[in-house]
Amino acid sequence: MLKPLFLLGLLGLILSFYLSDIYYSFQRILNLNSNKQGPNYLFTSEELATFDGTNGMFLYLSIMGQVYNVTDGLKHYGVGEPYHFFVGKDATRHFITGDFENEYSRDDVDDLDQNQLRSLNNWLKFYKSTYKRVGKLMGRYFDEFGRLTPYAREIKKLIKEAEKSEESNQTDKRKFPPCNIEWDAVKGSRVWCTNKSGGIERTWAGKPRQYYEAGSKSFRCACISEENKGLGTIKEYSGCDSDSDSCFIKT
Ligand code: HEM
Ligand SMILES: *[C@@H]1O[C@H](CO)[C@@H](O)[C@H](O)[C@H]1NC(C)=O
Ligand SMILES: *[C@@H]1O[C@H](CO)[C@@H](O)[C@H](O)[C@H]1NC(C)=O
Ligand SMILES: *[C@@H]1O[C@H](CO)[C@@H](O)[C@H](O)[C@H]1NC(C)=O
C-alpha cells in the first residue's frame, strides 16, 4: 500500500526536476535567439568581452554576474578612461581591491571580510539603481540556465550576514557609546564620557565603564546610561569612583 505511493511521489519529484530544467532550457533558447538583451539574457564571457568599447559597441560590465549597460558612463568606462578596466568582463573582486591596472581580473570574493562584503553590496546597489541590467553572465554566479550558482547563493548569504552584523553593531554602539580616550606618558590613560563621545549624539553622557560585548572576553570602554548600569556585561574601573565622569586607568 505504501510502496506505490512512495514510487509515485518519487516519480513526481524526478518529473518536477526535469520540468524545471526543460523550462530553463526553453527560456535559454528564447534568450539566446533574441538579440534584444533583457535582464535575463545570458552572456558568455566571450560575448561580454565584445562590449568593452574598443569596436564602437556599447559598454557593458558585469558585477557578481549581473551585466549592466554602462554606456552612459562613457567618461568613466570608455577607452583610456580611469575605469575602462571594468568593462567587457566581470571583475567583481576589483571593486573592493581597487587595482585597475592589472591585465588579469578576478571575480571571486569568498574570502572578503564583513566590511568588504558590505562595500560590495553598495556597488551592487549602485549599479542596480544607476544603470540598466541587460543580462546575466554564465560563469561563477549564473549557470547555463541563468540560475544562481551555489557559489552566488553563498556570497549572497555572507552579504546578508555582514549587513545584519553591521546593524546590530550600530544598535549596540548607540546603546553603549564608546568613551573618549586620551593618553599621557606620566598620568597614563584617561577615559571619559560626553553627550557626543564615540560620535554618538545623545541627550545623556553616561559613566565610563568596562563593557564586555556578547561572546567576548575583552572589554571596551563604553558610556553607560543610568538605565543600563546594572547589566552583567558591565564592570566598573577599579580605583574609579562610581559617580565619576572620568577615570584614570593603569596600563
Ligand atoms: C576601490 C577603489 C575604487 C573603485 C572600485 C572605484 C570605482 C569607481 C567607479 C566604477 C566609478 C564610476 C561610477 C559610475 O558609473 O558613475 C567611479 C567614479 C569616481 N571615482 Fe572611483 N573608485 C575607487 C576609488 C576612487 C578614489 C580613491 C578616488 C579619488 C581619488 C575616486 C574618484 C572617483 C570620482 C571623482 C568619480 C566620479 C567621477 C564623475 O562622476 O565624474 N575613486 N569610481
Ligand atoms: C545601452 O545604453 C545606450 C546609451 O544609453 C543605449 O543607446 C542602448 O540602447 C542601450 N542598450 C540596451 C540593450 O539597453
Ligand atoms: C561587528 O562587531 C564585531 C565585534 O566587534 C566584529 O567582529 C564585526 O566584524 C563587526 N561587524 C561589522 C560588519 O563590522
Ligand atoms: C550636550 O551637552 C551640552 C553641554 O553640556 C548641551 O548644551 C547640549 O544641549 C547637549 N546635547 C544634547 C543633544 O543633549
Side-chain angles (χ1 to χ4, degrees):
M1 181 57 202
L2 260 171
K3 214 170 164 190
L5 263 181
F6 174 75
L7 283 176
L8 205 67
L10 199 67
L11 199 71
L13 202 66
I14 291 168
L15 204 66
S16 71
F17 273 123
Y18 270 109
L19 279 176
S20 85
D21 265 8
I22 290 167
Y23 169 77
Y24 277 111
S25 308
F26 191 62
Q27 281 250 307
R28 178 154 178 234
I29 289 161
L30 274 183
N31 283 333
L32 289 180
N33 285 342
S34 117
N35 45 25
K36 205 165 154 249
Q37 287 140 6
N40 290 315
Y41 180 84
L42 289 172
F43 283 89
T44 61
S45 46
E46 291 76 20
E47 190 183 3
L48 179 59
T50 64
F51 291 92
D52 69 347
T54 50
N55 46 16
M57 291 261 257
F58 294 128
L59 298 166
Y60 291 176
L61 66 71
S62 172
I63 179 166
M64 274 185 78
Q66 307 185 45
V67 181
Y68 288 94
N69 178 2
V70 296
T71 308
D72 287 339
L74 185 68
K75 69 174 196 289
H76 308 306
Y77 305 105
V79 179
E81 302 298 346
Y83 301 108
H84 179 65
F85 172 83
F86 285 106
V87 291
K89 57 160 92 76
D90 190 306
T92 298
R93 189 183 186 83
H94 300 256
F95 284 98
I96 309 307
T97 59
D99 54 332
F100 327 131
E101 311 296 322
N102 212 315
E103 61 182 298
Y104 302 105
S105 65
R106 284 173 64 175
D107 62 356
D108 59 307
V109 289
D110 47 296
D111 59 341
L112 299 186
D113 67 29
Q114 290 198 311
N115 284 320
Q116 293 173 319
L117 286 164
R118 288 201 305 119
S119 158
L120 174 58
N121 197 24
N122 286 336
W123 280 112
L124 292 170
K125 288 190 210 156
F126 168 77
Y127 282 104
K128 196 174 174 181
S129 65
T130 312
Y131 296 105
K132 213 173 97 188
R133 197 170 99 181
V134 288
K136 301 188 264 190
L137 176 65
M138 287 181 274
R140 192 184 292 278
Y141 296 96
F142 291 100
D143 69 12
E144 66 270 42
F145 301 116
R147 297 176 297 201
L148 281 175
T149 60
Y151 186 89
R153 276 188 264 123
E154 176 63 19
I155 301 301
K156 283 184 155 216
K157 198 184 95 191
L158 292 176
I159 288 176
K160 212 177 238 174
E161 281 169 8
E163 294 292 3
K164 278 245 171 72
S165 165
E166 171 66 8
E167 233 172 77
S168 101
N169 285 3
Q170 286 306 322
T171 311
D172 191 77
K173 216 176 148 188
R174 282 217 68 79
K175 216 168 153 187
F176 307 103
C179 313
N180 295 314
I181 298 171
E182 76 179 359
W183 187 80
D184 182 288
V186 182
K187 293 192 229 164
S189 298
R190 180 173 79 94
V191 289
W192 77 103
C193 292
T194 65
N195 66 4
K196 51 176 186 283
S197 64
I200 310 288
E201 296 250 5
R202 55 195 188 271
T203 53
W204 50 278
K207 307 288 182 206
R209 295 281 187 274
Q210 298 175 356
Y211 170 56
Y212 291 80
E213 276 165 332
S216 175
K217 282 198 162 162
S218 60
F219 63 84
R220 64 173 175 87
C221 184
C223 298
I224 304 303
S225 64
E226 196 60 25
E227 60 178 310
N228 286 326
K229 69 178 184 188
L231 292 180
T233 49
I234 287 156
K235 269 172 54 183
E236 287 184 14
Y237 281 99
S238 63
C240 185
D241 190 87
S242 295
D243 290 329
S244 180
D245 289 328
S246 166
C247 300
F248 280 99
I249 54 182
K250 299 164 206 104
T251 39

